[in-house]
Amino acid sequence: MTDLPTALGASPDVPAGPIDPAVEAALASSAVARAEALLEFARIPSVSALPEHAEDMVRAAEWVAERLRRVGATDVAVERTALHPIVYGRIHEAPGAPTALVYCHYDVQPVDPVELWETAPWEPFLRDGRFVGRGVADDKGQLVMHLSALEALRTAGRAPAVNLTFVFEGEEEYGSQSLYAWIEANRDRLEADVAIISDTCYFEGNVPAITVGLRGIMYAQIDVELSPVDLHSGMYGGSVENPANALARIITALKGPDGRIRIPGFYDDVVAPTDAEREAMAALPFDDEAYRAEIPVPALVGEAGWTTLERKTARPTLDVNGMWSGFQGEGAKTIIPAHAHAKISTRLVANQDPATVYAALRDYVAEIAPPGVTVSTTYIHGGEPSLTPIDHPATQAAARAIEAVHGVAPVYIREGGSIPVTAAFDHSLGLPVVLLGFTQPTCNAHAPNETFLLENFELGTRVIVRFWDELATLPR
Ligand SMILES: [Zn+2]
């Protein structure tokens, strides 16, 4: 059993002053209870992907709902969906102030390979300034931070200075399929001025950061068909098109050696990063060689005219994710394959639209398809990119909160991946999204020994408290 007071004794001193002294006092006196709450929550194996954990999912949802009720949230509900429940609640006690939608997820990734964990993954611990256990960083720690901020406000006799509506999801690690329909069906309960998503990281080296952009995705498959069965390459070779060769020519035409995607219109809707954003990105402590060596790969390549960091976060991409055709066994088999296939995906940036990009790909593939084979393109799935400008008042409110607590201004980063709910809040509800995440980049999310630094847990909780105060001053 972890000796919590000792573990907490090793924690860094929190600077005094950035938040209401009464709330600070409440946080200071609840440090052990808050850490214990995270450990208790992380002991619930709420793995959304595995059917055997269905009851644990309900247990985790109920745990969250109970905590929301305890801090005086109203309309608390564990909402049934086709799969795992969504926990809803609200604290609307600031008439005239803006409303923020707060999102975290209570589901976690599976824990295998279990033998690589320092301890049993469902027996989380706090030692030497770090929480270790499945979900402590992604995303239970961050959810507990929001609950902790509320508790401390209540202890201090206060209500949040903004109106808060909580949406805690249980399918983030499993595609968020239930969430979209639920959002559509509950738009009137989700009216807000801004969405706050706490499910991202600080920058490399644990530098406080605000993520302003996420990429979207468009995933498709290209199928090239020649004949019902493979053909003898001696009898037919030279007289028919080879689907594998044809597919290779199509793929080659999609992207040039300069890294530019050649689908006509592909870049039409791309919002280029501003000069200020490019300067800020260039100033980030990012080392190309260290990045290359860590992967490791022989060399870094990408679109001409952009830095590695820009290429992997702020620029769209096109990649073959898989391809197959013909004989793949050992030795030789002299055939012309009957068919050839490729899975293709593009990572999208604001304001590209997956459906538009798909249509452009489909039309271009049809145009360049060689004669003698049948070529078809199929849409598999898509997700929209999102971008909240650095100078948006909500982003700036978050920046002031981070600077007040950490003593340094945050850096602004983009992430190359996607958080689907972001696009749902951004496009479906039309809300500006603040991605205010607190985990250190080395948190081993989704991997063995998932870790959350106590320092981030403590400081981040204070950032949340301050952020709500800052948001209250937002023009409506
Ligand atoms: Zn997450």
Side-chain angles (χ1 to χ4, degrees), residues 105 138-139 172-173 199:
H105 62 91
D138 180 18
D139 186 30
E172 199 279 337
E173 306 291 6
D199 191 21

Side-chain angles (χ1 to χ4, degrees), residues 201-288:
C201 293
Y202 281 172
F203 193 66
E204 283 164 49
N206 206 23
V207 176
I210 297 174
T211 304
V212 293
L214 296 167
R215 290 197 287 197
I217 192 166
M218 190 284 296
Y219 208 115
Q221 177 165 329
I222 300 175
D223 299 291
V224 183
E225 312 279 345
L226 170 68
S227 55
V229 293
D230 293 345
L231 302 178
H232 188 297
S233 67
M235 290 168 65
Y236 298 98
S239 66
V240 296
E241 179 58 277
N242 180 312
N245 291 44
L247 179 60
R249 291 209 297 280
I250 292 168
I251 289 171
T252 307
L254 296 179
K255 191 160 92 174
D258 58 357
R260 288 285 291 182
I261 294 151
R262 292 182 170 175
I263 301 168
F266 181 82
Y267 292 98
D268 284 1
D269 298 324
V270 169
V271 178
T274 61
D275 289 346
E277 194 185 346
R278 293 194 74 181
E279 271 170 40
M281 281 177 103
L284 290 173
F286 182 83
D287 179 351
D288 275 33

Side-chain angles (χ1 to χ4, degrees), residues 101-152:
L101 203 57
V102 175
Y103 169 95
C104 299
H105 62 91
Y106 68 85
D107 64 322
V108 298
Q109 286 274 319
V111 292
D112 49 292
V114 174
E115 64 278 10
L116 295 183
W117 286 77
E118 286 175 46
T119 180
W122 306 119
E123 290 170 26
F125 62 82
L126 168 61
R127 205 181 294 142
D128 302 330
R130 55 189 203 125
F131 294 94
V132 177
R134 173 57 83 228
V136 293
D138 180 18
D139 186 30
K140 288 178 171 174
Q142 307 196 51
L143 197 160
V144 168
M145 287 160 68
H146 281 277
L147 295 173
S148 299
L150 294 169
E151 260 171 26

